[in-house]
Amino acid sequence: MNTDCLFCKIIAGKLPSEQVYSDEKVVVFKDINPKAPIHLLIVPRTHIISLNELDDDDLTVHMMQLLPKLAKDQGLNGGFRTVINTGPAGGQIVFHFHIHLLGGGNLGGAGFAM
Ligand code: AMP
Ligand code: ZN
């Protein structure tokens, strides 16, 4: 745990969140400022700064394979979008690695904006 990290505090239960799923590797909670009707954040329990620092194969596979299961649980049968912001120029504002899962509206094609 990084004591200065917002998501570490949420994972430790020191800050509130609307959690929808958790297991031994990840916690999933609702984004506080949703950009779509469903907007979840898939967050590893380990403090990893960004995709640049992700080197855990098991965790990577686990997170990727969890995404469609979460989407299905949320009723996103028509599809969903995943976003990973990496570094300041990539729009990352919370420096604890996370994957955005968005859906529930028509997100449009070739959409890179959130
Ligand atoms: P990123 O730009 O990828 O670092 O996105 C960070 C995301 O965290 C943003 O979409 C924020 O709305 C979200 N966020 C910030 N604080 C909280 C919080 N306390 N609980 C849930 N989501 C948050
Ligand atoms: Zn952290």
Side-chain angles (χ1 to χ4, degrees):
M1 155 140 191
N2 179 329
T3 49
D4 295 327
C5 172
L6 178 70
F7 286 176
C8 281
K9 287 179 189 165
I10 288 176
I11 290 161
K14 294 181 176 168
L15 284 176
S17 71
E18 281 195 70
Q19 195 170 298
V20 301
Y21 174 87
S22 80
D23 62 30
E24 74 286 357
K25 291 188 192 304
V26 301
V27 174
V28 179
F29 50 87
K30 294 184 182 178
D31 196 293
I32 204 167
N33 183 20
K35 310 293 193 304
I38 304 240
H39 186 171
L40 304 181
L41 301 173
I42 296 84
V43 185
R45 288 184 178 275
T46 311
H47 182 78
I48 297 164
I49 295 169
S50 80
L51 185 58
N52 286 327
E53 287 75 26
L54 178 65
D55 64 358
D56 181 331
D57 292 359
D58 289 343
L59 176 63
T60 304
V61 170
H62 183 70
M63 291 179 81
M64 284 298 139
Q65 293 184 340
L66 184 59
L67 287 162
K69 292 178 190 157
L70 290 167
K72 193 176 172 210
D73 287 349
Q74 296 289 322
L76 299 176
N77 300 314
F80 59 94
R81 176 173 298 163
T82 47
V83 173
I84 302 174
N85 297 320
T86 305
Q92 187 175 5
I93 54 171
V94 176
F95 288 88
H96 179 133
F97 173 61
H98 53 279
I99 304 177
H100 297 257
L101 169 59
L102 300 124
N106 185 356
L107 297 174
F112 299 107
M114 284 173 52

